[in-house]
Structures are given as structure tokens and as C-alpha cells.
Amino acid sequence: LKVNEIFGPTIQGEGFHAGRLCNFVRLSRCNLQCRWCDTPQTWVWTPAKAERHLSGVMYERSAEEHEMSIGEIVQKVMDCGGFQVSFCVISGGEPLLQQVDLVPLIKGLSYADVPVHIETAGTIMPSELLLDAADFFTVSPKLGSSGNVPRAAYHPEVLRVFAQSDKAGFKYVINSLADFDEVDKQVYACQIPKHMVQVMPQGTNADAIVAGMQVYAQEALLRGYGMSSRLHTLIWNDKRGV
Ligand code: SF4
């Protein structure tokens, strides 16, 4: 698989399992181009893509993308305290771009008794094998304020499949109060149970996260959604590899 970084033990900072000890396998590459992406090193490899990102920074693909076998990844996870943590997060980038190889990786980690959570933007249909193999999916559909065009970012047929599974939570990154209307439309159209939905403020430092939560909490409660913080950002701001 094409890997960006493997690290841990750390704290899952977002979503329904926030606060739990885990380690991370961050896969390389993404099919979206969110202007506020907090892992731009997984895809901002050309001047054109750097222009689309708020930071304007371009990354060296050869330095950021590493080809690793499943055995090497499992070994590295174990070296990162795999036996101490309660689960391993496979994140990205967009992990489902490599979903054919994800199933044997999940099986490899399962043999080592490490449950696996997958993070995805919900644009790529998961195979039945993948749905079956992973223990949990954090689905984070990207709204118009991410800078992606709807035909790239919104795939209701995929969101419906996750919504009907019993192992997915939905996490929407919110940029402004106006984003709530788009969340409502997706939740309704894709029949996503509201108790499976969390909203989370966009932000790469602690002040922005706290301010966003204070602005959005009441709106989330009115609509019946939960709220996610970004614990790793509150603790470490935008430091990588934690
Ligand atoms: S989907 Fe995730 S990894 Fe891809 S550009 Fe958006 S925030 Fe970044």
C-alpha cells in the first residue's frame, strides 16, 4: 500500500471514539481537494494543487509517499505500541482508494488482535468484504465550503450504504452556520440516523476549535446532532505524527 505515515500510541481526536488510545496508519492520496485539508501532504504534490489549498504549500511526493507491504505495516503498528492500544485507525488521504489491499491489511491486524477503524469521506463505495472486515467507519462527507464540487464530494448512494450499516458514524466539518442546511439535506436524503451524526468545527489551532464549538453547539442541539471536538488539535495544534 501507499503509506504516508504510521504513528502511535496517540489519542483519537475526533468522532465517536474520541479520547481513546489508538495508533494511526495514514495512507497516501486523496480523490478530493479540500481547501482546509489538515493532511495536505497526502495529495498536494503539484503547484496547481497547492493553489487550491489555503496554505499554498506544496509537498514532495517522494518524501511523503512510501510503498509498504502488509507485513511491514502490521509490524510497524506493533512497533508503535500495537499491543497497548484499543484499536488502529486507518486514515488518509482517502483510504478507500486502496480498498482492495485494505481487506488483507485489516485481517493482518485482526490476527494481532487489533480492531480497525477506517476514516473515509464517503465518496467511494465500500466492498462487502471491506464493510465486513472493518470494525468501524468514520464517514466525513465534505460540504460545499470545503471547495470541492458537489459531483466529486457528494455521493448519496455511498452514504446510504454506510448509514444502513451498524458500524458507521458521520462527522461533518463545519465552516460556518450556513453549512448546517447542507448537512440537514444530506442527512434527510441519505436517511442517516441523527444519533449517528456529529458536527465538528474546522480549525487547525486550539482557539479556532473552541470558538467554533461555542458558535455551533446550540445549532447542533436544535437539530439533534452531536458535536465532536478535535482533541489532538487542542493539545498539539497542527503538529504532524501525533
Ligand atoms: S477528503 Fe480528507 S484527506 Fe482528502 S482533501 Fe479532504 S480533508 Fe484532505
Side-chain angles (χ1 to χ4, degrees), residues 161-208:
V161 166
F162 282 118
Q164 283 162 17
S165 79
D166 59 356
K167 43 168 88 165
F170 288 74
K171 183 187 70 187
Y172 283 92
V173 178
I174 300 288
N175 249 302
S176 73
L177 285 169
D179 282 344
F180 276 92
D181 288 343
E182 198 177 340
V183 175
D184 292 345
K185 282 183 191 142
Q186 291 197 8
V187 167
Y188 179 76
C190 302
Q191 298 170 298
I192 303 171
K194 287 192 174 182
H195 70 270
M196 289 167 63
V197 177
Q198 292 182 328
V199 294
M200 183 180 80
Q202 197 280 114
T204 53
N205 61 65
D207 288 347

Side-chain angles (χ1 to χ4, degrees), residues 110-145:
S110 302
Y111 289 139
D113 267 341
V114 182
V116 176
H117 294 193
I118 309 271
E119 299 191 332
T120 176
T123 59
I124 298 172
M125 187 65 80
S127 68
E128 282 188 23
L129 283 175
L130 183 66
L131 274 175
D132 198 44
D135 294 275
F136 191 76
F137 292 87
T138 296
V139 184
S140 184
K142 298 303 181 286
L143 304 174
S145 58

Side-chain angles (χ1 to χ4, degrees), residues 7-10 21-25 77-78 80-82 85 87-89 114:
F7 58 91
T10 187
L21 198 65
C22 63
N23 44 29
F24 264 74
V25 175
V77 168
M78 291 301 130
C80 288
V85 302
F87 61 102
C88 177
V89 181
V114 182

Side-chain angles (χ1 to χ4, degrees), residues 30-34 36-40 42-43 92-94 121 142 148:
C30 191
N31 57 335
L32 296 183
Q33 300 178 13
C34 303
W36 40 253
C37 176
D38 59 355
T39 55
T42 62
W43 61 274
E94 173 50 69
K142 298 303 181 286
N148 293 287

Side-chain angles (χ1 to χ4, degrees), residues 13-15 18 199-201 209 213 227-232 234:
E14 306 174 358
V199 294
M200 183 180 80
I209 298 301
M213 290 178 73
M227 172 162 268
S228 171
S229 180
R230 292 186 119 165
L231 293 177
H232 54 297
L234 295 183

